[in-house]
Amino acid sequence: MAGSISFIKVESEAGINNVSALAETIWFEYFPNIISIQQIEYMLDKFLSQKAISEQISQGTSFYIVKKDRELVGFIAIRVDDSSGRRRLFLSKLYLEKFHRGGGIASRMFAFVKEQAAERNCGSVFLTVNKINSHAINVYYHWGFRKEKDLVTDIGNGFVMDDYVMSLDLAQTPAGSDN
């Protein structure tokens, strides 16, 4: 059972520091089988350093720390995207520490994301996921996502992100559902 789960909006330097520390732990737990250590280090610095998180928040991304009972166990980052001509929620980050996976917390995190999408009047949620990350892709399929397209993004320093863009139409899945 997931226990008492809460979502704390990151609005302070301490919160930013907590997200950055969680990111480092989680990325080194999860990604060495998917991308190189050098790319992990580069991406953590580029996207999840304290400076990078502060910049993302200033540009409209909302970060939430996930707390189980009194322990910080993961985080979420979301932002509204209108660039396609329709209002969608971009699920930028959804990460959970290894020890807490498989107990329903990720599903609670995703239910929270859908609630946030509804509150922001977004008709869908979309995300990018590494093409090699079969576990995450299968979880997203389970939650009702579908592949939209392939996306290769040059992130500098000789690295690329080779991803799928996946999306979920919220009109087909109520905010409280587990699909």
Side-chain angles (χ1 to χ4, degrees), residues 34-82:
I34 296 173
I35 58 178
S36 71
I37 296 297
Q38 294 80 11
Q39 185 167 351
I40 291 169
E41 290 170 345
Y42 177 77
M43 291 179 72
L44 283 170
D45 183 58
K46 184 170 180 72
F47 300 115
L48 289 163
S49 66
Q50 294 158 359
K51 178 182 176 194
I53 293 166
S54 293
E55 288 174 4
Q56 291 169 66
I57 290 171
S58 74
Q59 296 168 359
T61 298
S62 297
F63 281 78
Y64 297 89
I65 293 174
V66 181
K67 193 172 180 183
K68 179 183 179 200
D69 301 320
R70 294 190 304 240
E71 184 180 358
L72 307 181
V73 298
F75 65 96
I76 298 166
I78 56 174
R79 71 172 154 64
V80 173
D81 181 286
D82 294 313

Side-chain angles (χ1 to χ4, degrees), residues 108-147:
R108 300 261 297 272
M109 292 167 72
F110 185 59
F112 176 80
V113 168
K114 291 193 290 185
E115 291 166 9
Q116 294 300 306
E119 286 179 17
R120 290 166 169 80
N121 298 312
C122 295
S124 63
V125 175
F126 75 105
L127 55 86
T128 57
V129 59
N130 186 294
K131 291 176 184 173
I132 299 172
N133 193 348
S134 59
H135 175 75
I137 291 167
N138 287 333
V139 168
Y140 296 135
Y141 278 139
H142 173 76
W143 288 342
F145 280 81
R146 63 175 179 75
K147 284 182 194 168

